[in-house]
Amino acid sequence: MNEVSSGNTLTHLQRLEAESIHILREVVAEAEKPVMLYSVGKDSAVMLHLARKAFYPSPPPFPLLHVDTTWKFQEMYKLRDRMAEESGMDLLVYHNQEAMDRGINPFDHGALHTDMWKTEGLKQALDKYGFDAAFGGARRDEEKSRAKERIFSFRTASHGWDPKNQRPELWNLYNAKKSKGESIRVFPISNWTELDVWQYIHLNDIPIVPLYFAAKRPTVERDGMLLMVDDDRFPLEPGEVPVERSIRFRTLGCYPLTGAVESEAATLPQVIQEMLLTTTSERQGRAIDKDAGGAGMEKKKQEGYF
Amino acid sequence: MTEAPTTTDSVYQTEALIAEDIDAYLDVHQHKTMLRFITCGSVDDGKSTLIGRLLYDSKMIFEDQLAALEADSKRVGTQGQEIDFALLVDGLAAEREQGITIDVAYRFFSTEKRKFIVADTPGHEQYTRNMVTGASTADLAVILIDARKGVLTQTRRHSFLAHLIGIRHIVLAVNKMDLVEYSQARFDEIVAEYRAFADSIGIAAFTAMPISGFKGDNITAPSENTPWYTGPKYAGISLIAHLETVEVNATADQAKPFRMPVQWVNRPNLDFRGFSGLIASGSVKPGDAVRVLPSGKTSTISRIVTMPGKDATDGDLPQAVAGQSVTLCFADEIDCSRGDVIAMADAPPQAADQFEASVVWMADEALIPGRAYWLKLGTQLVSATVQAPKYVVNVNTMEHLAAKTLELNAIGVAEVSTDKPVVFESYEANRTLGGFILIDKITNATVAAGMIHFSLRRAQNVHWQALDITREAHAGMKNQQPAVLWFTGLSGSGKSTIANLVEKKLHRMNRHTFLLDGDNVRHGLNKDLGFTETDRIENIRRVGEVARLMIDAGLIVITAFISPFRAEREMVRAMMPDGEFLEVFIDTPLAEAEARDVKGLYKKARAGALKNFTGIDSPYEAPYAPEVRIDTTKMTPEQAADMIVERLLGW
């Protein structure tokens, strides 16, 4: 990765990597108590790899935080524990106790599930540990409101985002000063695209959840989405029988909310090939972006969603 | 659907290669370089349409997005039944309703040769700060002009800003050529007008092209509609072809001397000590002689460390260049920490504490000359003050105008002083060591961006006169520890009364003291100053400097000034050696102070006879963490004085 390419011009991946590492180090130098939000997806995998690279030979000097919903795919939990072990970082897993007590789940509660487990859970976890800076793996190419978000994105004490009142971000000078109660969300891979992420994983052999690769898996079709029956909590309708299909996932979240695609792509180059030839955008498989019309994500972010 | 030019595929690649040989495609993609550029233009110049076109042609728009776009275009679009590309680009709900782009948005697309990051920056006057933000990371600027309208005030403003921020490549994109029948004469006329303007502000070269973002002319390939756009008089190149070939800044920076600001010291154990940073310019190899600034200590690079990986080129490197993030180890144990700059030993940058700089003001609250702000340059963070500007530039006419301050979106040239030397270069020589931001110490907002022209004096040339009788000797003779007791509080809070008592008590104990009183100082040293915010800051600054000389002489200095602003008290604190500044907050509620009204001033202020009176029509900012807090509603002046003396003498 560090070899200088022909003509001495760094490749785009080398420059993206250098920028991300610079951001990670700035936060560690200036924040009091940083944390990395680790969602176990491919973007988190790249972000974690960059962190290990930024601080090598030291382990990254902050913990990983997984805001769990208890409804992630089993393979995600496995990889999460393995990567925490390999990186030598502390892993904090947070569950919103109220959501747990009330039995909030994606089958019965719809949008409330995301709101309580993820949005509320994240706020509670950050407040509980007093983290003042949280790394997230969001990218600007994912969604329109993300495209306008700064790399250092400030949140009020109640975790709200004010898109009209963002600090100007010049050169690679980041202003990490914050007022009492404020916290920062930092997005080190803001300028990466989906293709960059895949290519970087490919070049560096970064471990990712096997669900990204096609395999025969038990599925049912609901509202035009292919859902995987990942455990026996999946409530089958009368007469509904899971069907084995060769599927994979383009993004990973709670298994009852994440649509699979039928695919034969079993290797990384095949996955990338399929992604490049596909005609629908990445987040299309997620129910969250469809809420509240065109401004769904922007609204969620103002309320404190990452 | 609009007609996408069929020549697109050859420029962008790809589908055939992806389908037939994904590994070959990945190899191509892996070796792409990256260019960052900005697009600027007025609201109706077709900026968003051009970006939408680039995304569309490079297949960065997916079917689901396209379906949403088609629906939106019919609902709120401005292009009738045609696709309104602008809707794709305008992200936030608020601005979609207003129909304008209000912030910086970043977009991504790639061709066979390069990946591009586009900063979409606004055309509206009040958002100069956003354009400067977007331009700060750009290698190139596309200045859009509506062929029907020609060079407008906004065109001049955007060009000036792009030039100010040091963008080396400027493209003059004369857009909407389809609406002027692709007229060569019209194009020539606009280019001539722009050239005259560009010359006048020092833009040496630009590349002009006739385009239509809406129709796709000269975007990915030379257009048949502009057959005249060839030959020596014209660039004759499509926008994409040009973007693919211009030199990026990171490459140009490699030819400069080596500099790396230190971000973080990596010390996992006693056997490893590395200095992490992003190389700002030049290149470095093990064995190179380097100098650490500002200390000037020298050593040799022993290792360039990165994490070993799958790729054989990871791990320790034989060489690293500008734009790479690395960790450097030295052959010798020398001091080096965050904020230092590692540089080529025989061509190091200078350190200085006074500069002339261009300053772009980005906050609603105007610059207060003399007030202390944080200044961040590279990884250095220091306290800094900005003088009243020498002039501000009218960005519409380029005139230099006199001004006392910098308002939101103002661009001026001013002197900047820092509380300690900063390692720097001119912005022209090095963006990383010449560009800085200013941060408000109270709101923490980024209030300005600055670009250093040159230093006004070299810090290393201002030697302190070496004195044989040191401050320690002065203090020793008096058998005391010098300090400043800085009283702050509302008018009538009891500052002078208590300060007087404190001095009497200390005097009785044979301490050498001096009391600087607000009213007395205004009769002499500061009689030229009034009561505006700026004058009050200068008043405090001078008192601070006098107090510093007095503690150097070994005295215990007592000051009694309202000193209402936190930033100024912090400025004075920063002047003094650690532990020798004690902030004494005389905490009397406004109602209580006003009820006492010893000098009858509150009455006058309430009647409107006194302007800028603290507590009435000017704010008082209470200290967050004073060394001593006196609640005058709970203790007598005598008790308060005892408490302060005890704290001072450490009893």
Side-chain angles (χ1 to χ4, degrees), chain A residues 1-2 8 12 15 18 22 26 30 53 55 58 148 169 171 174-175 196 199 273 279 281 298, chain B residues 18 26 29 32 34 63-64 93 95 115 133 136 254 263 266 313-314 325 338 376 427 444 446:
Chain A
M1 272 304 296
N2 287 289
N8 252 11
H12 71 293
R15 287 185 60 196
H22 176 256
E26 279 300 284
E30 297 212 355
K53 206 161 175 177
F55 302 102
S58 299
K148 304 205 167 187
E169 215 157 67
W171 300 292
Y174 303 103
N175 172 5
D196 297 332
Q199 180 127 35
Q273 183 175 39
T279 51
S281 64
E298 184 182 345
Chain B
I18 293 171
L26 287 176
H29 183 71
K32 284 176 187 173
M34 184 163 91
E63 269 178 14
D64 55 323
E95 63 198 73
K115 164 173 170 157
T133 302
S136 70
Q254 289 176 18
Q263 282 188 283
N266 194 336
T313 57
D314 282 315
S325 282
R338 178 172 170 86
K376 189 173 182 186
Y427 183 76
N444 294 318
T446 303

Side-chain angles (χ1 to χ4, degrees), chain B residues 515-586:
Chain B
L515 199 161
L516 283 166
D517 182 81
D519 288 344
N520 296 352
V521 168
R522 281 190 176 273
H523 288 301
L525 177 66
N526 291 349
K527 69 178 171 192
D528 58 324
L529 299 177
F531 288 88
T532 63
E533 206 171 339
T534 311
D535 279 358
R536 293 168 80 141
I537 290 165
E538 177 59 15
N539 182 43
I540 296 304
R541 189 192 69 79
R542 289 185 197 175
V543 170
E545 291 290 356
V546 170
R548 182 165 75 167
L549 291 173
M550 287 184 168
I551 60 169
D552 280 352
L555 296 176
I556 292 167
V557 184
I558 304 160
T559 70
F561 295 84
I562 298 172
S563 46
F565 304 117
R566 245 174 246 130
E568 282 67 67
R569 296 191 302 265
E570 289 308 306
M571 170 178 77
V572 176
R573 181 188 292 274
M575 291 177 190
M576 312 298 168
D578 281 348
E580 296 188 10
F581 181 87
L582 302 177
E583 192 173 14
V584 179
F585 177 32
I586 307 299

